[in-house]
Amino acid sequence: MTIRPGRLIGTSGARLPLWVALPSLFLVSGAVLWWMVLPGNPFQSAPIVGTLFSWAVLVGAVSLLRNVPRRRVGAVVIAGTILLGLIAVSAPPRTSNDSARYAWDGIVQKAGISPYANVPLDETLSSLRPGWLFASGTSGADGSPVCAENLFDTESVATFGYPSRDPLCTAINRPQVHTIYPPTAEIYFFGVRATVPDTAGYLPFQLAGLLISVAVALMLLRALADSGRPLHWAAVWGWSPFVQLEAVNNAHVDLLAGALVLAAGMLLAGGRPLRSGMAFGAAVATKLIPVIAAPALLFRRPARFIAAAVVTFTLLYVPYLAAAGVGVLGFLPGYLKEEGYSQSGGIRFGLAQLLCTGPWPPVLSAAALAIVAYGVLRRTHTENAWEQQTVMIGLTLLIVSPNYPWYALMLLPFIILSRRWEYLGVMLALDIIYMVPASAPFSETLNQGVLLLAAAAIAAGSWLRRRGELRQTALRGLQEEPPPLRLPPPHGPSLSLTKSDE
């Protein structure tokens, strides 16, 4: 297939104008996204099937964007990001109800109460409960709480109120534990909910996610323009099903953390280590996991960067620490144990479990992460910072193998800036692990299989890139003119004998 500006020429010779081909692919992508988030969709695997199909459509759309004049590409990318985002916010969260907890933490803070002080089941806060988050339940024949079908727009949790033990239904997952989110996230939750009534549902956080995703797209366009790279790569962010589902529809706060990590990288590349450190400290105080990006951010004035990050992180914690004390840790210790990160035989560290069992997979994984971090720390400089950040975050997610794909929201921007497209396999692997329904023992086989495929993709991409670099080096060597031949003087070299020569 040959592509010319403004035309798509097929093998049959038929020509399809760009203004027809590109909108057509975009409409297909929008229709699939709508199908993915459609409430009550009877096809349970719609999110993963739609995701895989939409990535294939995105490849075609991005290739067509190459033919759009450079001065217009940015506007087209942003317009597409907004249009797809409006489709994503047209339905309640499809695969995660985490934003229900975000809303509750924001509502509690509006009432002047620390989000770390009470669990959602605590009836001392019953006057704050909106109907879209809480409802009375009923008792089943065995005395267990029961919730009516389709009580909330997302999954409902049947539990008991505290201390009355009355049946209660809520859209908040883990309602029996304190919040896990650090201060930057809590400030964000308060800021979003402070602008709307408590009766407003999921839409405020979805719209906030759309705004942040547009901001990230603008940041990517700026970084690509500054480096002279193709601007249409930014569509891999804004038009991807991954971003529209996890950042906008599910409205995960990891988007904010990823945006701050990207800002930290751009500020550091621009020679502003103090501001970069502040952005990074705020990112870590959003979800903690952005700390894995640190090794690739220490290549310029590390002392200033670290100091700014630590001070920012500490200052953000101070007000919440004063109100709740050690309660600011929330459910973090319990979360690590529940998710299998602090015990042997857990479901994490999938690749390491192929090599060893018992308590050793976490140990082997920690050693691998230490080697990766050391290598990134030694190799990173101004010219390869985006590439090393991709390696650091991508390999960490691959080795740790979390169950939640939205952790990769901070990986995708660096994949785009570094052109390390093979790391998209990590994101797809996490999507499959989370979305594909499978039961033991098939789930373990599936998880490890997709992780192996992602690792193979990274290895193949690195090998092909290295081979291409060696080939270019060899070609440059052949094209260089050989140095001029130096002939000896006509009468031969003069000799000067000394005592030692004799």
Side-chain angles (χ1 to χ4, degrees):
M1 184 175 68
T2 305
I3 298 178
R4 296 177 183 173
R7 296 285 182 181
L8 177 64
I9 305 176
T11 55
S12 63
R15 295 186 176 186
L16 188 64
L18 177 65
W19 62 269
V20 173
L22 183 58
S24 297
L25 285 179
F26 187 84
L27 287 174
V28 171
S29 182
V32 174
L33 177 62
W34 175 83
W35 177 69
M36 289 166 57
V37 302
L38 181 67
N41 190 331
F43 187 53
Q44 295 298 318
S45 298
I48 184 60
V49 172
T51 293
L52 296 176
F53 181 79
S54 294
W55 274 111
V57 175
L58 179 61
V59 171
V62 172
S63 66
L64 288 177
L65 273 174
R66 293 181 301 177
N67 301 289
V68 176
R70 186 177 175 87
R71 66 182 183 277
R72 297 177 182 174
V73 170
V76 174
V77 169
I78 297 301
T81 302
I82 294 173
L83 290 174
L84 288 174
L86 293 176
I87 297 173
V89 305
S90 66
R94 181 65 173 88
T95 61
S96 170
N97 59 356
D98 282 0
S99 58
R101 170 74 77 161
Y102 305 168
W104 176 244
D105 284 4
I107 290 170
V108 167
Q109 290 182 88
K110 282 175 62 178
I113 302 171
S114 170
Y116 304 103
N118 307 88
V119 300
L121 299 184
D122 194 333
E123 291 169 336
T124 60
L125 304 180
S126 59
S127 61
L128 301 178
R129 293 174 176 172
W132 66 277
L133 278 181
F134 296 89
S136 298
T138 58
S139 296
D142 58 353
S144 61
V146 178
C147 297
E149 188 176 357
N150 298 323
L151 181 59
F152 304 109
D153 289 331
T154 59
E155 181 182 357
S156 61
V157 177
T159 184
F160 293 105
Y162 175 80
S164 71
R165 300 291 295 173
D166 291 334
L168 179 68
C169 298
T170 179
I172 301 173
N173 60 57
R174 300 184 181 93
Q176 73 280 5
V177 302
H178 293 83
T179 188
I180 193 176
Y181 297 102
T184 304
E186 293 296 345
I187 293 170
Y188 171 66
F189 301 159
F190 171 74
V192 172
R193 296 303 305 189
T195 61
V196 297
D198 293 349
T199 54
Y202 296 100
L203 185 61
F205 279 108
Q206 291 177 320
L207 290 175
L210 175 55
L211 290 176
I212 298 175
S213 69
V214 170
V216 172
L218 289 171
M219 293 166 66
L220 288 172
L221 287 169
R222 170 70 179 274
L224 291 170
D226 289 346
S227 61
R229 296 177 179 178
L231 300 182
H232 64 269
W233 290 348
V236 178
W237 167 268
W239 296 12
S240 72
F242 174 73
V243 170
Q244 295 302 333
L245 182 63
E246 302 298 354
V248 183
N249 179 258
N250 289 329
H252 284 292
V253 72
D254 302 72
L255 171 66
L256 175 62
L260 288 170
V261 171
L262 176 60
M266 293 180 65
L267 287 168
L268 193 63
R272 299 175 179 177
L274 287 177
R275 296 184 185 182
S276 175
M278 293 171 63
F280 182 71
V284 177
T286 301
K287 199 66 188 288
L288 298 185
I289 193 174
V291 73
I292 66 177
L297 290 170
L298 299 177
F299 63 90
R300 174 174 286 170
R301 301 199 176 210
R304 290 190 179 187
F305 175 87
I306 294 173
V310 171
V311 170
T312 301
F313 182 84
T314 303
L315 290 177
L316 286 168
Y317 258 103
V318 165
Y320 290 97
L321 187 64
V326 294
V328 296
L329 291 177
F331 183 56
L332 180 60
Y335 173 82
L336 293 175
K337 183 177 181 180
E338 179 181 300
E339 292 297 317
Y341 288 113
S342 59
Q343 59 187 356
S344 61
I347 61 174
R348 302 296 170 251
F349 313 112
L351 292 179
Q353 290 189 36
L354 291 171
L355 303 175
C356 54
T357 58
W360 295 109
V363 176
L364 180 60
S365 298
L369 288 175
I371 294 172
V372 171
Y374 179 74
V376 168
L377 186 63
R378 289 290 302 271
R379 293 190 183 97
T380 306
H381 49 79
T382 305
E383 288 73 23
N384 71 349
W386 304 133
E387 177 181 330
Q388 293 301 310
Q389 195 64 271
T390 303
V391 171
M392 186 68 236
I393 298 175
L395 291 184
T396 299
L397 294 178
L398 183 66
I399 294 168
V400 175
S401 55
N403 190 43
Y404 305 120
W406 48 87
Y407 287 4
L409 282 168
M410 65 176 176
L411 171 62
L412 183 54
F414 296 109
I415 292 177
I416 295 168
L417 292 175
S418 66
R419 296 176 294 174
R420 297 294 295 257
W421 306 114
E422 62 270 23
Y423 279 85
L424 290 175
V426 175
M427 297 169 51
L428 292 174
L430 298 182
D431 267 336
I432 292 172
I433 290 172
Y434 182 73
M435 295 183 193
V436 173
S439 57
F442 303 105
S443 59
E444 182 177 343
T445 302
L446 173 67
N447 295 353
Q448 293 176 336
V450 295
L451 290 173
L452 279 174
L453 288 175
I458 292 174
S462 299
W463 178 76
L464 289 173
R465 185 174 291 102
R466 179 60 177 166
R467 189 178 72 167
E469 291 173 354
L470 292 174
R471 181 181 298 173
Q472 291 179 0
T473 301
L475 289 175
R476 283 196 300 267
L478 292 174
Q479 292 172 356
E480 291 180 356
E481 295 183 2
L485 180 64
R486 291 190 174 184
L487 299 176
H491 302 289
S494 60
L495 298 176
S496 176
L497 299 178
T498 63
K499 290 184 180 180
S500 60
D501 292 324
E502 297 175 345

